[in-house]
Amino acid sequence: DSPSKGLGLCGWILVAVSFLFTLVTFPISIWMCIKIIKEYERAIIFRLGRILQGGAKGPGLFFILPCTDSFIKVDMRTISFDIPPQEILTKDSVTVSVDGVVYYRVQNATLAVANITNADSATRLLAQTTLRNVLGTKNLSQILSDREEIAHNMQCTLDDATDEWGIKVERVEIKDVKLPVQLQRAMAAEAEASREARAKVIAAEGEMNASRALKEASMVITESPAALQLRYLQTLTTIAAEKNSTIVFPLPIDMLQGIIGAKH
Ligand SMILES: *[C@@H]1O[C@H](CO)[C@@H](O)[C@H](O)[C@H]1NC(C)=O
Ligand SMILES: *[C@@H]1O[C@H](CO)[C@@H](O)[C@H](O)[C@H]1NC(C)=O
Ligand SMILES: *[C@@H]1O[C@H](CO)[C@@H](O)[C@H](O)[C@H]1NC(C)=O
Ligand SMILES: *[C@@H]1O[C@H](CO)[C@@H](O)[C@H](O)[C@H]1NC(C)=O
Ligand SMILES: *[C@@H]1O[C@H](CO)[C@@H](O)[C@H](O)[C@H]1NC(C)=O
């Protein structure tokens, strides 16, 4: 049942005939034999349906035999694609819409051709399902805060799975996490309320500090009655400097008691 090695006798005869034919018609057939591929491409050559020993050829010039050989070009450059937005139910039952970007390239052209029909679309589909699987195990706060870790997890999982296809997943990025509008509003309201509460606490604390300072000041003033008189006069000076006009200042009668007392 296992596939036989090599081309077999019949195969070799066919190849030899093809080679002779090429030699005989050299000036014409040479143009059919020479193939050129670009720096970033590799060619997988099939001789009578078997992949040639030595794997991928290129870049640059290589030769094939007419009639018996065919080849497939493989692009080795990094490809990026958007994972379309996925509606995901998180662990704490919130529906979020998440999209991302995946960067991958073909690492082994032989495997990418021989082991899978369409490495591109396979990788894309796998990236979508992996995104859903990884995010399904997280709750909302984790999704919002651990993007790096999620991306890294996804890259490892994808890379493991695509190894057999000769594909290397270089990078995965979570682009956007969209929350339902209602939840956005609720979260904004919550944040605003907590900010307001904090502001109120700070204001109250300030008030408390101020009143404590006032109390201390009043205690200092009561220690000597003359201090209060000085304070009155000081206030008068302040007002006079600020408002250049006639001032009617209520002079407390207590202040005069000192003077009256002295006359007696
Ligand atoms: C590609 O994979 C094949 C099969 O596993 C292996 O023989 C070959 O050496 C690999 N080529 C490179 C460049 O790793
Ligand atoms: C696919 O890749 C695996 C791992 O390298 C290899 O063992 C297997 O033979 C490949 N299958 C085909 C059909 O090439
Ligand atoms: C999310 O999950 C983490 C760990 O599993 C847990 O510590 C955290 O409390 C959860 N958050 C919510 C909002 O459920
Ligand atoms: C009130 O006083 C305390 C202790 O002196 C200080 O830590 C706190 O920052 C003050 N609060 C305000 C709002 O200034
Ligand atoms: C107060 O105002 C008057 C008129 O505007 C001005 O002549 C005078 O110089 C001012 N006095 C002081 C102390 O600024």
Side-chain angles (χ1 to χ4, degrees):
D1 212 23
S2 67
S4 58
K5 293 274 175 199
L7 296 174
L9 182 63
C10 202
W12 278 117
I13 293 172
L14 276 176
V15 170
V17 169
S18 177
F19 189 66
L20 275 180
F21 172 75
T22 313
L23 275 187
V24 171
T25 61
F26 177 74
I28 302 159
S29 62
I30 187 70
W31 304 111
M32 298 164 73
C33 294
I34 292 180
K35 297 287 172 194
I36 294 168
I37 52 170
K38 300 197 184 73
E39 183 67 38
Y40 52 83
E41 286 172 334
R42 300 288 180 275
I44 309 294
I45 302 173
F46 296 88
R47 176 157 295 163
L48 293 173
R50 309 297 302 259
I51 291 179
L52 272 196
Q53 290 290 314
K57 299 280 187 293
L61 205 64
F62 65 96
F63 294 93
I64 62 168
L65 290 176
C67 307
T68 61
D69 291 6
S70 66
F71 72 98
I72 293 179
K73 272 195 266 185
V74 181
D75 196 327
M76 308 291 282
R77 288 179 293 185
T78 296
I79 304 164
S80 69
F81 77 90
D82 289 329
I83 305 174
Q86 304 286 310
E87 293 267 323
I88 293 159
L89 191 68
T90 63
K91 210 174 165 192
D92 45 354
S93 304
V94 181
T95 319
V96 291
S97 163
V98 182
D99 57 357
V101 195
V102 176
Y103 298 86
Y104 67 93
R105 67 187 159 79
V106 175
Q107 197 176 35
N108 188 327
T110 316
L111 289 183
V113 168
N115 240 358
I116 183 138
T117 323
N118 190 338
D120 271 335
S121 78
T123 307
R124 280 160 203 237
L125 289 176
L126 193 65
Q128 284 182 23
T129 47
T130 309
L131 182 68
R132 300 186 80 93
N133 286 348
V134 169
L135 292 186
T137 63
K138 308 270 179 194
N139 58 31
L140 183 63
S141 59
Q142 280 173 317
I143 291 178
L144 293 176
S145 58
D146 298 348
R147 283 191 190 197
E148 301 246 314
E149 193 201 318
I150 290 171
H152 188 235
N153 266 0
M154 265 192 74
Q155 195 214 326
C156 291
T157 316
L158 268 179
D159 202 24
D160 279 353
T162 56
D163 234 18
E164 283 194 355
W165 310 336
I167 283 181
K168 167 91 186 140
V169 177
E170 293 178 324
R171 205 178 171 84
V172 177
E173 295 287 347
I174 305 292
K175 253 183 11 187
D176 198 9
V177 179
K178 282 207 186 75
L179 298 175
V181 179
Q182 276 174 330
L183 188 65
Q184 274 178 26
R185 261 189 229 135
M187 284 171 84
E190 190 188 336
E192 198 182 328
S194 77
R195 258 201 304 277
E196 245 167 46
R198 230 178 304 139
K200 273 179 190 162
V201 168
I202 289 172
E205 231 176 66
E207 201 109 312
M208 195 170 74
N209 285 5
S211 61
R212 198 174 293 142
L214 274 180
K215 185 185 140 209
E216 272 169 27
S218 71
M219 274 160 72
V220 169
I221 286 174
T222 43
E223 273 173 19
S224 120
L228 193 61
Q229 291 172 19
L230 285 178
R231 185 81 194 88
Y232 267 117
L233 294 175
Q234 225 172 35
T235 311
L236 194 60
T237 331
T238 318
I239 294 171
E242 273 175 13
K243 298 221 162 66
N244 179 9
S245 54
T246 315
I247 296 164
V248 180
F249 188 73
L251 187 66
I253 204 73
D254 304 13
M255 279 182 72
L256 299 177
Q257 257 169 10
I259 307 166
I260 296 162
K263 269 188 179 170
H264 275 277

